[in-house]
Amino acid sequence: MKKAVLYSRVSTDEQKNEGKSLEVQKDLCIKWARENDCQVVGVYEDGGKSATKTIGRDGLDDMIIRCQEGDVDFALIIDTDRIARNEFDHFNIKRELKKHGTQLVAVNQPMIDDSAEGMLMDGMLASINAFYSRLTGRKVKKSLEKKCEEGWWPGWGPIGFVNKNIGTIEKPINIIEVDPEFGPKVTEIFKLYSTNRYSVDDLVEISYKIGLRSKNGKKLCRNVLYAMLKNVFYTGSFKFKGKIYNNAKHKALVTPEIFEACQRIMDIHNRHVCRRRKYKWLLNGLAFCKEHDSRLFGDWVSHKGRAYYHGHANKGCRRYLSLDTIEKNVAKHLQTIQFTEKFTNRVIEKAKELVKQSREVKQQEIENVRNAIKQLEVKRNTLEDNLLDGTIDKEAFKRKHGEFDVQIQNYENNIATMENQGGLDVNVVVEIVSLMKNIRQEYEKASFEAKRHYLSMFFEKLWFDEAGNIVKSDYTPLFQHLIDNQFIRIRANWLKDRNLNITTYLDQAIKVFENFKLMSELRQELDKLKSPFVSPVLATT
């Protein structure tokens, strides 16, 4: 008795009502096998799978693997479109089955056989199946584009929004509405991030605490939250197939100003990224072995239950230096670095000037926006008078009045954003002065990420001996410039190879602040300190 395997597939539940359910397909194939005296040795199926590709169709893969054993005579399907909807896959699958002695049989299409006419019909049906699939895809694409043109997002709404059917089950009309539970919380997350006081990791924790969670009640993934902050959908627009649609009908959850502020903050952070890891090594990339000219790498030794920095064996450095030892030595080394008092005072005076200028500029911008609001209110009042006089009709009044309301609301949102974000804060001056007066103390109080930033601002390389002591420091160009201009004092009793005779002059300090290039570099370094892992007091600029 000959052997046969059965394969059935449906792409949607709707096909159950079209006579192509999995059970219907199996019954017809079993009937053919019985009529042709064949033993069914395998039944395979793929439910909810498209035939436009073979990837992910486990039933099809299992059927082909079974036929590769070489003892299967027929692979039964109800129609050729069950096996593939593109020509390449269709003929490729037939060729693979034929190579192992298996004939593909479509029980509803008996005209397909090994004759010239049968092969012609097979090719024509394969092309028709592919054409139907591509035509359907084009219709779907057109319908999605039409929905976009009408201002509605054609897919599932992102977090903070819900999909709603305002039509019927037979003729659904799906729209996007704000989720009354999650929507306000999403707005709050954007506002928090726009202050530049919180990292994405911080917002993961905050989101969970305020109830903004995943569908299963867990914390939102970092990548999900990051994608949310970059999604233009929340501004009342959306992007589909590379095109931005600004005529979206869903309600915006954030103002364009807050959204743009979030994008600027992410751009800054991505250039100085410091991601969380299971084990965090403070000195990776900074620590080097002086004797062997080898980079030192952080590593966790499980059997000892301790962390070490070790060298590169290929360079002959087999030292393991205790993590605690060399990181404590780094903190001690920072104690040898001192900003001169006159330089510190000059920084304070300059910072005060910047704070004052920033406040004046912000206040002027706010005043300009308030004047614009007053002008719109005058126009709105005039419009109301015209309605009472009968100069305009109700429809025109509603349209224009609504436009004025939206413009006024946008201006008021702008004012709220400027008041929330604008300008330098005097607390920043306090934090900077604390750092300049006692670098080690501020360093030891800082978080891991802040410590990493401090070290990258001061040093390019730190060289250690066999005992874990620092024997040499390579400073960053900016920091070296301050040393060379005698605005930073390095204690000679720590680094004996440096013989610095340092004196401070107020006129040199003034020259530094008048040096535009240097000031730009200083401002860039201060921008790094405004990263979200720094304390909220330090990050208010």
Side-chain angles (χ1 to χ4, degrees):
M1 181 179 289
K2 294 183 177 181
K3 296 180 179 180
V5 294
L6 315 182
Y7 176 76
S8 56
R9 180 194 65 81
V10 292
S11 57
T12 64
D13 292 335
E14 294 176 1
Q15 289 185 332
K16 293 180 180 180
N17 302 322
E18 299 175 2
K20 287 190 177 181
S21 70
L22 295 174
E23 292 302 321
V24 170
Q25 295 179 51
K26 291 176 188 176
D27 291 343
L28 290 174
C29 291
I30 290 172
K31 180 182 177 182
W32 187 97
R34 190 184 303 114
E35 292 173 352
N36 290 272
D37 196 25
C38 293
Q39 177 188 0
V40 176
V41 295
V43 178
Y44 307 93
E45 65 180 50
D46 282 314
K49 301 290 184 179
S50 171
T52 56
K53 57 184 179 181
T54 58
I55 298 175
R57 294 168 63 186
D58 296 335
L60 177 63
D61 292 340
D62 293 342
M63 185 200 74
I64 293 175
I65 291 171
R66 176 64 181 85
C67 293
Q68 287 173 344
E69 296 179 9
D71 62 340
V72 178
D73 299 288
F74 302 104
L76 305 180
I77 54 178
I78 185 174
D79 293 306
T80 54
D81 63 357
R82 297 300 91 193
I83 202 79
R85 281 194 180 273
N86 70 70
E87 301 91 338
F88 177 81
D89 287 340
H90 175 87
F91 291 111
N92 195 34
I93 292 170
K94 285 196 70 172
R95 188 181 302 111
E96 180 66 22
L97 294 175
K98 188 175 182 180
K99 185 167 64 175
H100 297 283
T102 303
Q103 179 184 353
L104 182 66
V105 176
V107 298
N108 280 352
Q109 297 165 336
M111 74 289 293
I112 300 176
D113 53 29
D114 292 332
S115 66
E117 294 81 4
M119 295 175 66
L120 173 63
M121 290 299 300
D122 186 28
M124 292 175 63
L125 288 173
S127 297
I128 291 171
N129 294 335
F131 169 75
Y132 177 78
S133 176
R134 291 165 188 152
L135 182 63
T136 302
R138 186 168 65 184
K139 289 179 179 178
V140 171
K141 182 180 177 181
K142 290 292 184 182
S143 64
L144 294 179
E145 289 176 350
K146 181 180 179 182
K147 190 169 184 178
C148 290
E149 295 294 341
E150 293 173 351
W152 291 112
W153 171 249
W156 290 104
I159 185 169
F161 292 88
V162 292
N163 293 73
K164 183 178 180 181
N165 180 13
I166 60 174
T168 63
I169 297 177
E170 295 77 16
K171 293 184 178 181
I173 302 175
N174 295 312
I175 64 171
I176 303 288
E177 290 186 346
V178 174
D179 187 329
E181 180 184 0
F182 284 173
K185 296 173 183 177
V186 169
T187 303
E188 184 63 22
I189 292 299
F190 270 94
K191 288 181 178 179
L192 290 175
Y193 191 72
S194 69
T195 64
N196 201 12
R197 297 182 182 183
Y198 305 91
S199 69
V200 175
D201 293 309
D202 294 331
L203 295 181
V204 169
E205 305 297 332
I206 294 172
S207 298
Y208 185 77
K209 289 179 181 178
I210 65 176
L212 186 60
R213 305 176 182 181
S214 65
K215 291 181 179 179
N216 55 9
K218 295 184 178 180
K219 291 180 181 179
L220 295 176
C221 296
R222 188 182 190 279
N223 291 341
V224 171
L225 205 56
Y226 188 81
M228 184 185 83
L229 291 170
K230 290 182 69 69
N231 194 346
V232 71
F233 193 93
Y234 295 97
T235 65
S237 303
F238 61 84
K239 186 176 183 180
F240 184 75
K241 298 294 184 181
K243 181 180 177 181
I244 298 291
Y245 292 86
N246 294 316
N247 62 330
K249 293 183 179 179
H250 65 270
K251 183 181 178 181
L253 289 181
V254 298
T255 64
E257 292 76 20
I258 289 179
F259 182 80
E260 288 302 322
C262 292
Q263 307 317 299
R264 288 194 298 270
I265 291 169
M266 280 189 282
D267 288 341
I268 292 173
H269 294 171
N270 285 339
R271 286 197 292 270
H272 312 290
V273 66
C274 185
R275 297 183 175 89
R276 289 184 177 180
R277 293 178 173 86
K278 184 176 181 180
Y279 300 112
K280 299 187 287 189
W281 313 113
L282 183 63
L283 301 179
N284 267 9
L286 291 172
F288 290 80
C289 174
K290 177 64 175 174
E291 181 180 348
H292 299 95
D293 191 24
S294 168
R295 187 187 297 271
L296 298 177
F297 303 91
D299 197 8
W300 179 262
V301 181
S302 300
H303 67 276
K304 291 187 177 182
R306 296 182 62 186
Y308 294 87
Y309 284 94
H310 63 86
H312 203 296
N314 292 343
K315 291 192 175 184
C317 183
R318 299 181 181 276
R319 291 173 178 164
Y320 276 75
L321 305 178
S322 169
L323 177 143
D324 292 335
T325 299
I326 68 172
E327 290 190 358
K328 286 179 180 178
N329 286 341
V330 169
K332 291 179 181 177
H333 180 53
L334 290 174
Q335 194 169 357
T336 68
I337 301 173
Q338 288 184 335
F339 290 92
T340 62
E341 184 177 354
K342 290 185 178 180
F343 179 74
T344 301
N345 292 336
R346 182 57 180 154
V347 169
I348 294 173
E349 293 302 318
K350 192 66 179 179
K352 286 180 179 179
E353 291 178 20
L354 293 173
V355 170
K356 182 179 178 181
Q357 292 173 8
S358 175
R359 288 173 177 170
E360 290 174 352
V361 170
K362 182 180 75 172
Q363 195 57 42
Q364 183 59 50
E365 290 176 348
I366 292 174
E367 191 62 31
N368 292 340
V369 176
R370 284 177 176 158
N371 290 335
I373 291 176
K374 290 179 181 178
Q375 293 177 7
L376 286 173
E377 288 175 342
V378 170
K379 292 181 179 179
R380 186 173 61 181
N381 293 339
T382 303
L383 184 69
E384 292 170 353
D385 293 338
N386 291 339
L387 176 65
L388 295 174
D389 296 339
T391 311
I392 59 173
D393 56 26
K394 259 188 183 180
E395 293 301 321
F397 171 78
K398 287 182 180 179
R399 186 181 70 254
K400 294 299 294 181
H401 198 276
E403 292 175 2
F404 287 142
D405 286 342
V406 170
Q407 292 178 40
I408 290 173
Q409 184 61 51
N410 288 338
Y411 279 134
E412 289 175 347
N413 290 341
N414 291 346
I415 290 176
T417 302
M418 286 187 285
E419 289 177 341
N420 188 39
Q421 298 175 331
L424 297 170
D425 195 291
V426 70
N427 290 325
V428 178
V429 180
V430 175
E431 292 293 333
I432 293 173
V433 171
S434 297
L435 176 66
M436 297 180 73
K437 286 186 175 180
N438 195 327
I439 295 176
R440 179 180 178 179
Q441 179 178 318
E442 292 301 313
Y443 171 83
E444 289 181 334
K445 291 193 303 183
S447 65
F448 172 87
E449 289 83 359
K451 287 179 179 178
R452 181 77 181 170
H453 264 291
Y454 287 144
L455 293 177
S456 65
M457 186 172 70
F458 298 149
F459 308 108
E460 286 193 339
K461 293 181 180 179
L462 291 170
W463 300 87
F464 293 85
D465 62 14
E466 67 278 2
N469 298 317
I470 298 175
V471 294
K472 182 184 175 184
S473 302
D474 293 346
Y475 298 107
T476 61
L478 172 63
F479 206 66
Q480 187 64 52
H481 183 93
L482 294 174
I483 294 174
D484 294 340
N485 282 273
Q486 303 178 356
F487 301 120
I488 295 176
R489 181 180 294 113
I490 306 295
R491 292 181 182 174
N493 63 339
W494 181 266
L495 296 180
K496 297 179 180 180
D497 57 330
R498 288 196 68 93
N499 184 17
L500 297 178
N501 181 17
I502 296 179
T503 320
T504 309
Y505 300 96
L506 183 58
D507 60 334
Q508 289 181 325
I510 295 173
K511 287 181 181 178
V512 169
F513 282 100
E514 291 174 347
N515 185 328
F516 177 78
K517 182 178 179 181
L518 177 60
M519 281 304 300
S520 298
E521 293 175 352
L522 283 169
R523 293 301 296 271
Q524 289 175 7
E525 292 300 330
L526 290 177
D527 282 343
K528 295 179 186 178
L529 294 181
K530 291 185 284 184
S531 297
F533 48 74
V534 183
S535 64
V537 175
L538 183 59
T540 50
T541 56

